[in-house]
Amino acid sequence: MSNTYYNPEDLKKFGKIGEFSPNLAEKFFSYYGEVFAEGELTAREKSLIALAVAHTVQCPYCIDAYTVDSLEKGSTEGQMMEAIHVAAAIRGGASLVHGVQMMNKVKEIVM
Amino acid sequence: MQSLKRKNHELADTLIQLEVLNKATQQGIQFPAFTQKLRDINLFPLKPTQLEIFQVNVGKMCNQVCKHCHVDAGPDRKEIMTRATMQQCLDALALTNVKTVDLTGGAPEMNPDFRWFVEEISKLGREIIVRCNLTIIVANKKYYDLPEFFKAHKVHVISSLPYFSAARTNAQRGDGVFEDSVKALKMLNAVGYGQEGSDLVLDLVYNPSGAFLPASQGGLEKEFKQKLKQGFGIDFNNLFAITNLPISRFLDYLLESKNYDGYMEKLVNAFNPVAATNVMCRNTISVSWDGFMYDCDFNQMLDLKVAKIAPQHISEFNEAALNNRSIVLNQHCYGCTAGAGSSCGGTTT
């Protein structure tokens, strides 16, 4: 067994997560499948969103899975990287926008 | 880049390829036998339906050396079909109601008797497909008139273009291939290929540039049409999405990049019974440069000839005997049954 918390082989076992709680797992996977089906958004757009979110939540399993899935849905390397930049921009922006809070506080207490 | 054969690579030996495909992997994974998968859905032994397509590989010589090539074709391959063997193909064809003759290679146009062969097939009134790699049209002055020649015989042109961007196409097919392909596509468009209202058909083939399955054919076609039109003013008819089969140079890539286990697992897990029912080997006979017959082009490249119940050489062609044969199967067949299925005409479901 790999001596790390993350083992790539574990991704294949995701489907077996229901072993300890089949009812909840069944509900989750049914929902999951429905979420990623073609809808108002295409399956490819959803895959790119998933790829971006995977980087935000920093889940190596999800990054692996949605890199392959995005390629198999026909996305280009450029589109995939742009999706990640969107995630990075929001993440960076989320820190930066709190600067307003800092500025508010500064203005409150500084003469 | 040289062919596996020229490099004396061990995978140039088809028996070694079959050994790799059938033994447990280095990680100890033993994939289920493809024949068992067909047994499970009552499709074994796999029998032919109606012979509709005569696919003829007129030689392994090619002006390109694509990284994924299942033929292991290239400029260093000298295997070329002779006019005598072509005549045997024509004699066999005349005995059948086969609708379509699908000419492939290598670059089929490099065979010195290619044009003669097309003219003779044309006289028999069959639809002719030429699997043109596009760059051959601009490779040498003597090929510049190929679009006109194709037009004169109403040849259905099917051409590989793995992507609508230069980077991904050239990474798979060689430097400058995308740019030359664009030039050739414009030449084909100029004589009427792929144009609205024209009966000159130009189809493109997409295959993944790596160890993953193709995207949905319909979605890709839409995107290819938009990008090629906007970027280059190019029109075409249909896009076929094809899965890379784990043989020859693509097998070498999978092993070298350590993607073999994952890719095979993906193919096996994506086994689709409907795709299995619709595999192309059921209505096709594939003839090699030296006149032997195979159930498909991939079996040809693994030297798995048609079952011995029928004569194996085109000079002894016997359609009734061929119709009674069982199709020869092996582990590479998973490539045609994965997901939406794959054939020389794209997805099968």
Side-chain angles (χ1 to χ4, degrees):
Chain A
M1 184 186 270
S2 168
N3 193 23
T4 66
Y5 282 106
Y6 287 114
N7 177 359
E9 289 302 304
D10 284 346
L11 178 56
K12 296 176 195 160
K13 299 176 192 163
F14 188 28
K16 294 178 183 160
I17 209 88
E19 188 181 336
F20 289 179
S21 180
N23 190 31
L24 289 175
E26 195 186 314
K27 283 188 163 69
F28 173 79
F29 285 120
S30 160
Y31 166 75
Y32 196 98
E34 194 80 15
V35 164
F36 281 95
E38 292 274 345
E40 298 282 327
L41 291 173
T42 64
R44 181 159 82 166
E45 288 164 340
K46 290 179 182 182
S47 188
L48 283 172
I49 294 170
L51 182 68
V53 174
H55 283 75
T56 305
V57 297
Q58 292 176 307
C59 166
Y61 301 122
C62 314
I63 292 171
D64 253 24
Y66 283 96
T67 298
V68 176
D69 193 64
S70 289
L71 286 170
E72 292 186 342
K73 295 281 190 301
S75 291
T76 64
E77 290 88 333
Q79 289 165 342
M80 290 158 68
M81 189 52 88
E82 280 187 21
I84 292 167
H85 276 294
V86 170
I90 292 295
R91 208 167 177 169
S95 291
L96 198 56
V97 75
H98 284 80
V100 176
Q101 211 168 342
M102 174 275 285
M103 288 163 73
N104 289 343
K105 190 69 187 172
V106 167
K107 286 173 185 170
E108 184 188 317
I109 60 169
V110 172
M111 278 192 289
Chain B
M1 190 171 149
Q2 295 177 323
S3 66
L4 295 174
K5 188 175 182 190
R6 180 63 171 267
K7 286 192 283 191
N8 285 321
H9 194 289
E10 62 169 6
L11 288 178
D13 182 341
T14 57
L15 290 176
I16 292 184
Q17 289 188 52
L18 289 167
E19 190 187 321
V20 169
L21 287 166
N22 283 278
K23 70 179 183 189
T25 70
Q26 282 188 336
Q27 304 296 319
I29 305 169
Q30 180 68 59
F31 297 110
F34 183 77
T35 48
Q36 186 57 48
K37 283 277 185 186
L38 290 198
R39 274 198 180 92
D40 294 345
I41 57 167
N42 296 319
L43 206 58
F44 184 82
L46 186 65
K47 304 299 276 188
T49 49
Q50 175 73 36
L51 180 58
E52 292 176 86
I53 301 168
F54 218 74
Q55 192 173 60
V56 185
N57 189 313
V58 297
K60 297 187 178 185
M61 188 181 283
C62 192
N63 58 316
Q64 292 183 190
V65 193
C66 302
K67 279 187 189 160
H68 70 297
C69 182
H70 70 283
V71 178
D72 192 26
D76 59 50
R77 298 302 300 263
K78 305 301 177 200
E79 300 91 331
I80 283 286
M81 183 177 273
T82 62
R83 191 179 282 213
T85 307
M86 287 178 177
Q87 185 60 56
Q88 290 171 346
C89 291
L90 292 165
D91 294 343
L93 195 57
L95 300 172
T96 73
N97 292 319
V98 161
K99 295 178 205 153
T100 305
V101 182
D102 184 344
L103 300 180
T104 184
E109 302 89 342
M110 290 179 85
N111 183 309
D113 291 311
F114 167 76
R115 295 190 193 216
W116 173 82
F117 195 32
V118 169
E119 283 159 5
E120 293 303 310
I121 300 165
S122 198
K123 286 179 195 165
L124 292 173
R126 314 300 166 100
E127 185 207 14
I128 305 168
I129 293 174
V130 171
R131 296 197 179 258
C132 172
N133 70 12
L134 295 174
T135 62
I136 192 68
I137 294 175
V138 294
N140 185 299
K141 231 196 294 188
K142 67 181 175 181
Y143 300 121
Y144 289 176
D145 66 336
L146 275 171
E148 290 289 351
F149 176 77
F150 291 151
K151 179 183 179 175
H153 297 282
K154 286 209 165 59
V155 167
H156 173 175
V157 177
I158 302 184
S159 295
S160 279
L161 190 71
Y163 220 61
F164 45 75
S165 72
R168 231 196 253 183
T169 298
N170 293 347
Q172 184 180 119
R173 295 173 78 77
D175 287 343
V177 165
F178 183 77
E179 293 76 5
D180 283 349
S181 298
V182 165
K183 278 185 214 159
L185 285 167
K186 287 183 175 175
M187 289 165 74
L188 287 163
N189 279 172
V191 300
Y193 272 95
Q195 303 296 306
E196 215 176 311
S198 164
D199 58 353
L200 299 172
V201 182
L202 169 62
D203 293 333
L204 296 182
V205 173
Y206 160 89
N207 66 288
S209 310
F212 55 96
L213 294 179
S216 113
Q217 187 167 277
L220 277 173
E221 181 180 290
K222 218 188 229 172
E223 190 158 23
F224 264 69
K225 284 200 167 177
Q226 193 191 28
K227 300 275 187 191
L228 289 178
K229 186 72 179 173
Q230 278 176 359
F232 311 97
I234 288 168
D235 296 299
F236 68 95
N237 295 98
N238 307 294
L239 182 90
F240 301 146
I242 291 185
T243 302
N244 291 314
L245 261 68
I247 70 167
S248 195
R249 293 215 279 262
F250 189 66
L251 177 60
D252 179 40
Y253 157 76
L254 289 174
L255 294 168
E256 285 293 318
S257 62
K258 302 198 181 334
N259 277 305
Y260 175 73
D261 291 20
Y263 190 71
M264 282 305 291
E265 196 168 12
K266 190 180 276 287
L267 294 182
V268 172
N269 290 341
F271 177 80
N272 178 350
V274 179
T277 309
N278 298 336
V279 282
M280 67 178 174
C281 48
R282 302 187 81 182
N283 69 349
T284 303
I285 279 290
S286 162
V287 186
S288 61
W289 67 276
D290 52 355
F292 285 97
M293 291 184 287
Y294 302 80
D295 297 303
C296 75
D297 202 36
F298 300 107
N299 278 9
Q300 183 184 138
M301 298 315 150
L302 287 169
D303 200 22
L304 299 170
K305 295 182 176 71
V306 289
K308 271 191 176 156
I309 185 174
Q312 293 179 314
H313 197 269
I314 194 68
S315 57
E316 302 170 293
F317 179 80
N318 180 333
E319 188 175 0
L322 283 170
N323 285 340
N324 282 327
R325 79 195 195 278
S326 296
I327 290 163
V328 177
L329 305 164
N330 212 292
Q331 296 300 81
H332 63 294
C333 300
Y334 277 116
C336 287
T337 59
S342 183
S343 75
C344 290
T347 56
T348 55
T349 57

